[in-house]
């Protein structure tokens, strides 16, 4: 649901802030007052293109921002997760979408203050708003929309989930089987490569951390003379000289012990001195032993250099570290084993694929039958509703085609191909919607379809831009009632010129254009009840509002309360 819409420096709009609520929200105003600017701005928040030419004259930048309240939706969360963008994981979440335009051409898009691409916004836009009006019928031209509408009417959500799960399992096994059945020559070539790599790395018998240990030993061998001098001097200073540290510390310890017999404050130091003496003695003996173990060996140095060269070669070839080399060995060994045992695995997968295909078809056929069963009722309901919106002669058919024997037709939504056919005029056969319906007819058809299929509450906002153009009287009232019916399950925002529709509004907004000084500005405000009477009276009679028109407007409003 759209809760808040802010528009700044777009076309004639300097700055407006609109709060929308649940139910039927209506925008009215004289022709050319700027209603289309608001709809176009909202369209921009769904990922549609918007030009910097729309920036208000004299301004350097413009901004459109919308606050949407969304219900938890797994598909929407998946889009956010794949894009690495956080979305509140709750039953309801707030989503702030902002588009910033600049005369310099540096246009930016933000979702919850995180920069995103227009492609990402277009993906999530389908979960936010559906805009229907002249030239805004792309969703109705998409056959997947037809399938979704029929399934929503048929209430087959649980069955759809089973079919999707069956398809996922079947598709995964099919993919694995295809990988096993790749070209035989390629398989033999891959076998040779894998066997060579496994043999090459295996013979090296690499150990984790081995290169670091060898480098340390190499440094030691290359510096035997220096290490010998350092360790000999250290041993002498610690233990061997007449004034060695250990000897001096031993004398100090004895003196402190004697001192402690007369002054108890020194007793606390004796243990620490003894510990220090023990540590220094241990260090002295370690240095001595290290000195005695030092021996320069040209043969060992050669072995180390050869081994390090071999390790370096393998690291360059297989990833840069011993860990990556060993990981490559494990992966190659596994792939080699899989290929060598492919015949057994292939037979196992074939049997499993047959069973999974049967599981899929069992549920997919049930889904197909459910669709066929509800088809006639759906067609009748739509045709009856079309009569209410001045399409008395219209015919509506649902074409369901599906071949359960053709694996290529299998999808996560079953094997059916569903398309809506339509004819608005007598004597014309029904044809695909995209080929026969005009913009106005499409708008009313979309309204009827949504009224029939949106049986459960949806967080998406439905926008209808002047779908009542060219109608009036009873038909306009019928269109208004359809909008009202739809607004009970989801938020509806409608631009209208029909007083019959306006009288049904839960929230009525007036778009006004005014000249201030030498500038033209557009403003929007929500009408109070007495203001609503005036606006509906204007819609009934035009500029000159009569008392009769006001009375008629009051009667229309009271009839809808």
């Amino acid at each position: 649901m759209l809760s808040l819409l802010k528009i700044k420096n777009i076309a004639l709009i300097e700055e407006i802030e609109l709060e929308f609520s649940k139910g039927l929200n209506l925008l009215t105003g004289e022709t050319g007052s700027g209603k289309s600017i608001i709809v176009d701005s909202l369209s921009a928040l769904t990922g549609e293109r918007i030009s910097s030419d729309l920036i208000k004259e004299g301004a350097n930048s413009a901004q459109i921002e919308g606050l949407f309240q969304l219900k938890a939706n797994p598909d929407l969360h998946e889009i956010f997760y794949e894009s690495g963008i956080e979305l509140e994981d709750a039953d309801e979440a707030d989503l702030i979408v902002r588009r910033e335009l600049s005369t310099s051409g540096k246009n930016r898009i933000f979702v919850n203050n995180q920069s995103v691409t227009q492609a990402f916004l277009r993906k999530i836009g389908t979960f936010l708003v559906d805009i229907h009006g002249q030239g805004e019928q792309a969703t109705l031209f998409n056959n997947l929309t037809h399938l979704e509408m029929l399934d929503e009417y048929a209430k087959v959500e649980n069955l759809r989930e089973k079919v999707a799960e069956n398809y996922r399992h079947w598709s995964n096994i099919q993919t694995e089987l295809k990988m096993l059945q790749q070209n035989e020559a390629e398989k033999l070539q891959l076998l040779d490569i894998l066997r060579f790599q496994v043999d090459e790395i295996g013979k090296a018998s690499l150990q984790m951390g081995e290169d670091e240990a060898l480098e340390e030993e190499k440094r030691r061998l290359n510096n035997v003379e220096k290490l010998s001098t350092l360790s000999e001097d250290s041993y002498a200073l610690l233990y061997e000289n007449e004034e060695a540290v250990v000897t001096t510390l031993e004398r100090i310890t004895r003196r402190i012990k004697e001192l402690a017999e007369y002054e108890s404050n020194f007793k606390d130091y004796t243990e620490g001195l003894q510990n220090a003496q023990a540590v220094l003695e241990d260090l002295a003996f370690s240095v001595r032993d290290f000195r005695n173990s030092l021996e320069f060996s040209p043969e060992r140095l050669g072995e180390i250099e050869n081994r390090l060269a071999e390790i370096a070669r393998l690291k360059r070839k297989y990833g840069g570290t011993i860990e990556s080399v060993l990981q490559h060995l494990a992966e190659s060994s596994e792939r080699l084993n899989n290929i060598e045992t492919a015949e057994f695995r292939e037979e196992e997968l074939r049997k499993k694929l047959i069973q999974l295909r049967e599981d899929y078809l069992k549920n997919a056929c049930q889904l197909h039958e459910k669709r066929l069963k509800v088809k006639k009722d759906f067609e009748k309901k739509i045709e009856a509703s079309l009569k209410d919106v001045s399409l008395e002669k219209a015919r509506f058919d649902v074409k369901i085609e599906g071949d359960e024997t053709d694996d290529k037709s299998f999808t996560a939504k079953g094997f059916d191909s569903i398309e809506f056919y339509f004819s608005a005029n007598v004597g014309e056969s029904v044809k695909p919607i995209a080929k026969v319906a005009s913009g106005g007819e499409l708008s009313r058809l979309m309204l009827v379809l949504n009224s029939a299929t949106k049986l459960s509450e949806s967080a998406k906002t439905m926008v209808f831009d002047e779908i009542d153009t060219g109608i009036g009287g009873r038909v306009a009232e019928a269109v208004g009632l359809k909008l009202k019916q739809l607004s009970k399950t989801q938020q509806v925002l409608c631009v209208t010129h029909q007083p019959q529709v306006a009288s049904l509004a839960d929230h009525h907004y007036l778009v006004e254009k005014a000249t201030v000084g030498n500038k033209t500005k557009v403003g929007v405000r929500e009408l109070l009840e007495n203001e609503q009477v005036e606006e509906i009276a204007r819609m009934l009679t035009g500029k000159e509002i009569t008392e009769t028109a006001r009375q008629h407007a009051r009667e229309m409003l009271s009839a809808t309360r």
Side-chain angles (χ1 to χ4, degrees), residues 81-96:
Y81 177 77
E82 289 177 353
S83 302
I85 300 174
E86 291 186 6
L87 178 62
E88 186 179 344
D89 190 12
D91 292 338
E92 290 191 357
D94 288 341
L95 199 67
I96 300 174

Side-chain angles (χ1 to χ4, degrees), residues 51-62:
S51 172
S52 296
D53 294 338
L54 284 176
I55 297 175
K56 185 175 176 63
E57 189 173 346
N60 295 321
S61 62

